[in-house]
Amino acid sequence: MTQQDQAARTSPEQPVLYGGKGSRRITVRDIGRAKERGEKWPMLTAYDALTASVFDEAGIPVLLVGDSMGNVALGYDSTVPVTLDQITMLSAAVVRGTRRAMVVGDLPFGSYQEGPVQALRSATRLMKDAGVGAVKLEGGERSADQIRLLVEAGIPVMAHVGLTPQSVNAFGGHPVQGRGEEAAQQLLRDAKAVQDAGAFAVVLELVTAGLAAEVTRSLHIPTVGIGAGSECDAQVLVWSDMAGMTDWPGGRKPRFIKEYARLRETLGDAARAFGDDVVSGTYPAPEHSFR
């Protein structure tokens, strides 16, 4: 590494994103500079202050309050029922639980599809009431006008193309995107459309690895992959999937998910140990009682 590269990685003006130290929030400028340096970075979802504080202390630079909360926190079958009220409340909790991470709040289904004015109204509420640093919305060319107005209003936007979960009913499931020449060209157009509209980054979900690499090379904004291969500038996972909390129906875990812990087993063991102590009378012990 050259002295110039080393200075870029340690300069207060250009903090290393993952694991870096700093007294201020990560900004879109930091994200853009990471792309210029070729620095990869991780993003995780978070839905509460306690979990967010753990990830913030671990140095995760970007936390997404995703509408995936519908599946993993609220018990819905999809992200579609999630409301702006729910996103706003949980986003505010994540912001309160963090000091350094950029918090990105999802715009849920039905909060921006009517057009730019509705998108601006929803994003403004999320910024003002929750304090997020940016918003995310789904769609490529079809959402370019919404993105453009938000950016013009001073609201940073992370775009999302490829598989867009809010359109699960139109997709008829969760198929891999970008297979075939026509589909690949459309995805490229979508990615360039959100970049041209002013998005500071774009999520590529369930996109073939080769196409995701091509998109990453063709854009000057960072790509954030989820099931999109290793060539994206960043990677995101739903935190409960990453930590082994999810109980996959029939044990069919999606191919792109890597579990870095088995927290479901650990938490279950702790709950059973507590239950056993209560039933046997060993908890609370004298040291857990007041005299």
Side-chain angles (χ1 to χ4, degrees):
M1 179 182 293
T2 67
Q3 290 184 344
Q4 184 177 6
D5 290 338
Q6 183 65 35
R9 291 180 65 84
T10 58
S11 167
E13 294 302 316
Q14 293 183 314
V16 175
L17 290 189
Y18 168 57
K21 303 297 181 182
S23 58
R24 63 170 177 81
R25 293 273 183 185
I26 295 294
T27 69
V28 294
R29 291 182 65 194
D30 299 321
I31 299 296
R33 287 170 174 171
K35 170 88 171 185
E36 295 170 2
R37 294 193 301 271
E39 177 189 346
K40 292 181 179 289
W41 45 275
M43 180 167 78
L44 286 171
T45 64
Y47 316 107
D48 63 86
L50 180 60
T51 306
S53 70
V54 173
F55 298 154
D56 194 48
E57 292 171 6
I60 302 299
V62 184
L63 296 179
L64 171 66
V65 188
D67 58 6
S68 50
M69 68 174 66
N71 304 92
V72 302
L74 302 178
Y76 298 137
D77 291 333
S78 73
T79 65
V80 173
V82 175
T83 68
L84 186 60
D85 285 343
Q86 291 166 333
I87 289 277
T88 302
M89 180 180 67
L90 299 191
S91 294
V94 171
V95 170
R96 290 193 294 267
T98 56
R99 295 175 180 270
R100 179 177 180 268
M102 172 192 286
V103 178
V104 181
D106 248 341
L107 291 183
F109 181 74
S111 69
Y112 62 93
Q113 283 86 353
E114 289 181 14
V117 173
Q118 185 199 28
L120 179 59
R121 187 183 306 115
S122 299
T124 299
R125 181 184 171 198
L126 198 49
M127 295 282 287
K128 287 173 66 69
D129 293 355
V132 299
V135 301
K136 183 176 77 66
L137 57 79
E138 295 182 0
E141 291 180 323
R142 63 183 169 86
S143 296
D145 289 342
Q146 284 93 322
I147 294 170
R148 188 172 295 107
L149 181 60
L150 297 189
V151 173
E152 289 174 354
I155 300 175
V157 178
M158 177 179 287
H160 186 152
V161 301
L163 181 79
T164 47
Q166 292 175 10
S167 303
V168 62
N169 293 315
F171 283 124
H174 299 83
V176 175
Q177 302 296 297
R179 287 178 168 160
E181 182 63 22
E182 183 177 350
Q185 290 303 314
Q186 181 59 58
L187 194 139
L188 280 165
R189 288 193 296 270
D190 284 336
K192 290 180 179 179
V194 299
Q195 174 181 264
D196 293 345
F200 73 90
V202 56
V203 173
L204 306 179
E205 181 166 356
L206 284 189
V207 175
T208 56
L211 178 57
E214 182 179 353
V215 172
T216 300
R217 289 191 297 267
S218 68
L219 299 183
H220 64 256
I221 62 172
T223 58
V224 183
I226 177 167
S230 62
E231 296 302 312
C232 294
D233 298 298
Q235 298 290 333
V236 61
L237 282 176
V238 172
W239 86 259
S240 52
D241 296 344
M242 177 276 299
M245 279 285 288
T246 305
D247 182 22
W248 299 107
R252 294 190 296 273
K253 181 181 69 175
R255 178 175 181 173
F256 64 87
I257 290 173
K258 179 176 179 179
E259 295 179 331
Y260 288 83
R262 297 296 302 167
L263 290 194
R264 189 177 185 89
E265 294 178 5
T266 301
L267 191 57
D269 289 343
R272 283 185 286 272
F274 167 68
D276 291 345
D277 278 1
V278 170
V279 171
S280 67
T282 57
Y283 177 84
E287 62 266 28
H288 305 123
S289 303
F290 297 97
R291 297 170 186 265

